Amino acid sequence: MIRKTFSVPPLGCNCSIIGDPVTKQAIVVDPGGAPERILQEVRAMGLTVVSILHTHAHFDHFLASGAMKQTTGALLCLHPDDLPLWDMLETQCRMFGVPYVPAPSPDYWLKDDERLSIGEIEGVALHTPGHTPGSMSFHFPAAKLLLAGDTLFRGGIGRTDLWGGDFDAIEQSIRERLYTLDEQTAVVTGHGAETEIGRERETNAFVRA
Ligand SMILES: [Zn+2]
Ligand SMILES: [Zn+2]
C-alpha cells in the first residue's frame, strides 16, 4: 500500500492519499483544503484517484472536494446521515469565519460495513456515529491501518457539541467498532498526531476499554 498523510488548511485536517502500487489506483480521504497541494502529491506518486472519501461533512474535511472532483473526475462518497451537514457548508464556513467554497453534491452513499476496493487493496467502511451522525472510519486490515476522522484522537475523542453530535453514540462507536480492532492498528486521526488502537484503549482520557 502506498500512503501519504498530511495536514491541510484551514484547520489542519489530516488528508490521506491511499494507493495500490500495482494498479496505481488511489483514493483521497478528507480533502479539507489546498486542492493544488493534494493534486500535486497525487501526480508525484503517479496515482489515479478513483474515489474521494469523507469521514464526515464538517467543512474542514471537504472544502477541496469540488476542485478535486473537477480535476480527477472521481466520485464524492459520504454517509447519507451527514448530508444535512454537507448541505449547510456555507453556514459552517460563516460560523468559523472561513471563506466559503461551494461543493457539488455527493455522488455515492457509503454504507456501514461496505467493502472498499482500491485496485488490489481491500478495506471496510465502518459507520461510527457520534462526532456527527454520518461519521465513518475506514479500516484496512492487511495494513493494520484505520482512518478515524474526528471520531478518535491521540488521547482524546471528537467534540460532540456541534450539529448532531452525540456523546453516548461516539462512546459506543469507539468501544464497539474501533477498540475491537487489532491493538497494533495504526490510527490516522482527523487532526494532529497518529496513534494506535492499543494505546488509546489503555490511556485515552475519555473512552477506555
Ligand atoms: Zn469534525
Ligand atoms: Zn475536523
Side-chain angles (χ1 to χ4, degrees), residues 127-147:
H127 183 210
T128 48
H131 177 60
T132 65
S135 281
M136 300 293 284
S137 301
F138 305 117
H139 183 217
F140 299 91
K144 292 198 178 173
L145 175 70
L146 178 79
L147 308 187

Side-chain angles (χ1 to χ4, degrees), residues 56-61 131-132 135 150 153 159 162 191:
H56 63 297
H58 280 154
F59 72 98
D60 57 312
H61 294 252
H131 177 60
T132 65
S135 281
D150 288 357
F153 293 123
R159 56 191 289 187
L162 294 170
H191 301 261

Side-chain angles (χ1 to χ4, degrees), residues 57 62 83-93 95 100 163:
F62 74 105
L83 179 60
L85 278 169
W86 185 284
D87 285 341
M88 58 183 279
L89 177 58
E90 190 168 8
T91 306
Q92 292 193 50
C93 287
M95 279 192 62
Y100 168 59
W163 313 273

Side-chain angles (χ1 to χ4, degrees), residues 75-169:
L75 299 181
L76 303 179
C77 308
L78 181 75
H79 190 282
D81 290 356
D82 265 14
L83 179 60
L85 278 169
W86 185 284
D87 285 341
M88 58 183 279
L89 177 58
E90 190 168 8
T91 306
Q92 292 193 50
C93 287
R94 199 180 320 120
M95 279 192 62
F96 283 82
V98 167
Y100 168 59
V101 184
S105 297
D107 302 292
Y108 182 84
W109 301 120
L110 293 167
K111 293 173 285 294
D112 187 24
D113 280 330
E114 173 159 356
R115 270 183 50 186
L116 308 169
S117 295
I118 313 156
E120 296 178 1
I121 296 171
E122 297 286 335
V124 190
L126 307 173
H127 183 210
T128 48
H131 177 60
T132 65
S135 281
M136 300 293 284
S137 301
F138 305 117
H139 183 217
F140 299 91
K144 292 198 178 173
L145 175 70
L146 178 79
L147 308 187
D150 288 357
T151 297
L152 186 64
F153 293 123
R154 186 179 173 98
I157 64 171
R159 56 191 289 187
T160 53
D161 59 333
L162 294 170
W163 313 273
D166 181 330
F167 181 81
D168 292 338

Side-chain angles (χ1 to χ4, degrees):
M1 173 191 280
I2 303 169
R3 173 172 76 92
K4 181 146 192 180
T5 300
F6 47 96
S7 71
V8 289
L11 293 192
C13 159
N14 285 325
C15 171
S16 293
I17 301 166
I18 293 179
D20 173 20
V22 180
T23 63
K24 302 290 184 186
Q25 290 192 340
I27 61 167
V28 172
V29 178
D30 287 353
E36 55 301 312
R37 159 91 202 275
I38 302 169
L39 289 162
Q40 188 190 334
E41 298 283 0
V42 167
R43 278 193 288 267
M45 291 188 279
L47 299 171
T48 301
V49 182
V50 291
S51 301
I52 298 166
L53 272 59
H54 302 90
T55 59
H56 63 297
H58 280 154
F59 72 98
D60 57 312
H61 294 252
F62 74 105
L63 273 177
S65 295
M68 290 294 301
K69 180 185 171 177
Q70 200 170 24
T71 305
T72 64
L75 299 181
L76 303 179
C77 308
L78 181 75
H79 190 282
D81 290 356
D82 265 14
L83 179 60
L85 278 169
W86 185 284
D87 285 341
M88 58 183 279
L89 177 58
E90 190 168 8
T91 306
Q92 292 193 50
C93 287
R94 199 180 320 120
M95 279 192 62
F96 283 82
V98 167
Y100 168 59
V101 184
S105 297
D107 302 292
Y108 182 84
W109 301 120
L110 293 167
K111 293 173 285 294
D112 187 24
D113 280 330
E114 173 159 356
R115 270 183 50 186
L116 308 169
S117 295
I118 313 156
E120 296 178 1
I121 296 171
E122 297 286 335
V124 190
L126 307 173
H127 183 210
T128 48
H131 177 60
T132 65
S135 281
M136 300 293 284
S137 301
F138 305 117
H139 183 217
F140 299 91
K144 292 198 178 173
L145 175 70
L146 178 79
L147 308 187
D150 288 357
T151 297
L152 186 64
F153 293 123
R154 186 179 173 98
I157 64 171
R159 56 191 289 187
T160 53
D161 59 333
L162 294 170
W163 313 273
D166 181 330
F167 181 81
D168 292 338
I170 200 172
E171 187 177 34
Q172 188 178 3
S173 292
I174 292 169
R175 275 190 209 289
E176 296 181 3
R177 307 304 300 278
L178 304 189
Y179 284 177
T180 49
L181 302 176
D182 187 299
E183 65 178 4
Q184 286 172 11
T185 304
V187 182
V188 173
T189 62
H191 301 261
E194 298 185 6
T195 184
E196 278 186 6
I197 289 295
R199 177 193 167 95
E200 296 315 314
R201 237 167 23 197
E202 278 162 36
T203 65
N204 192 278
F206 297 90
V207 181
R208 276 178 231 166

